[in-house]
Amino acid sequence: MAETETTPAPRPGRRRGDARERLLAAAARRFYADGVSATGIDTITAEAGVAKMSLYNNFSSKADLVRAYLDARHEEWLGLYRARLAATSGDGREGVLAVFDAYADHASSAYEHGFRGCGLLNAAAELPAGDEGRDAVRRHKEEVEELLAGHVARLLPGRDEEARSVAEHLAFLLEGAMARAGLEGAGTRIAHARTMAANLVDRL
């Protein structure tokens, strides 16, 4: 009896979803280092070591991959923040500083071609108005400000409007520091902003 054709067995060490993870990792490196517009599909698949068809099996388009990259960066930052917060006593002041420390942790990560500031804002700057990716970045920044507001509210019980105003001030301080740090290629400005934030909340 003739042997029937079967689907080739997966290569050893490869798991379902492995191609997606490799594509996301490659996109994260290239989008951050070179920019979204300057990075083509061929560059990403070559760096990931997968066929172009693998990309389209996992993402409907480059725009879909960009959105997945932005979501992954958001989750990465949340992980850093939660780790910082878990190491504190949980009071409002330390919560505020945990937000700044999480940004500093991102800045001190190993970047292949140096620190270029907030990867989310860098990507958003390249996307057209109304793009879903810009909405994802806006939601991330809003969530950061909400986290700050929650921590400040613990320092100003019953003064919600003032707490939100202070949180907005802190968010502007953080974003300004990230912008300058990105231009300078180092996290020094973020450290300065953290000190300013500590001084601000100590005066509440």
Side-chain angles (χ1 to χ4, degrees):
M1 183 176 176
E3 184 175 343
T4 58
E5 185 176 349
T6 59
T7 303
R11 294 180 183 178
R14 295 288 179 86
R15 303 183 307 278
R16 184 175 178 81
D18 182 54
R20 179 183 173 87
E21 293 170 8
R22 292 167 67 189
L23 285 162
L24 269 174
R29 291 191 295 271
R30 297 274 57 87
F31 286 160
Y32 188 83
D34 305 326
V36 170
S37 299
T39 303
I41 293 300
D42 289 343
T43 298
I44 294 170
T45 54
E47 178 147 338
V50 302
K52 187 180 292 187
M53 185 57 67
S54 291
L55 188 143
Y56 291 111
N57 285 339
N58 286 280
F59 304 97
S60 62
S61 62
K62 180 182 175 182
D64 188 30
L65 174 60
V66 171
R67 288 191 293 271
Y69 158 69
L70 295 174
D71 289 342
R73 284 196 71 90
H74 171 65
E75 291 301 323
E76 182 179 59
W77 182 84
L78 280 178
L80 293 170
Y81 162 72
R82 289 166 180 155
R84 282 289 189 170
L85 189 63
T88 73
S89 64
D91 69 18
R93 180 184 189 276
E94 291 186 349
V96 166
L97 298 183
V99 173
F100 280 76
D101 287 336
Y103 270 80
D105 290 341
H106 238 184
S108 65
S109 297
Y111 292 100
E112 185 178 352
H113 299 293
F115 178 61
R116 296 183 60 242
C118 176
L120 289 165
L121 281 182
N122 291 348
E126 296 189 59
L127 301 175
D131 189 276
E132 290 182 23
R134 289 179 64 89
D135 290 339
V137 175
R138 174 181 52 78
R139 288 192 298 271
H140 166 77
K141 298 302 182 181
E142 288 173 349
E143 184 168 346
V144 171
E145 190 168 330
E146 283 294 320
L147 291 171
L148 287 167
H151 294 309
V152 175
R154 300 185 67 178
L155 299 171
L156 301 173
R159 296 154 64 185
D160 293 348
E161 187 173 342
E162 185 179 353
R164 288 195 170 278
S165 177
V166 171
E168 184 179 36
H169 186 135
L170 290 167
F172 289 163
L173 174 61
L174 181 56
E175 293 302 330
M178 283 294 289
R180 289 293 297 274
L183 289 172
E184 295 167 6
T188 306
R189 297 285 182 175
I190 304 171
H192 292 172
R194 185 190 190 277
T195 300
M196 294 176 191
N199 291 336
L200 190 155
V201 296
D202 286 344
R203 292 197 299 270
L204 295 178

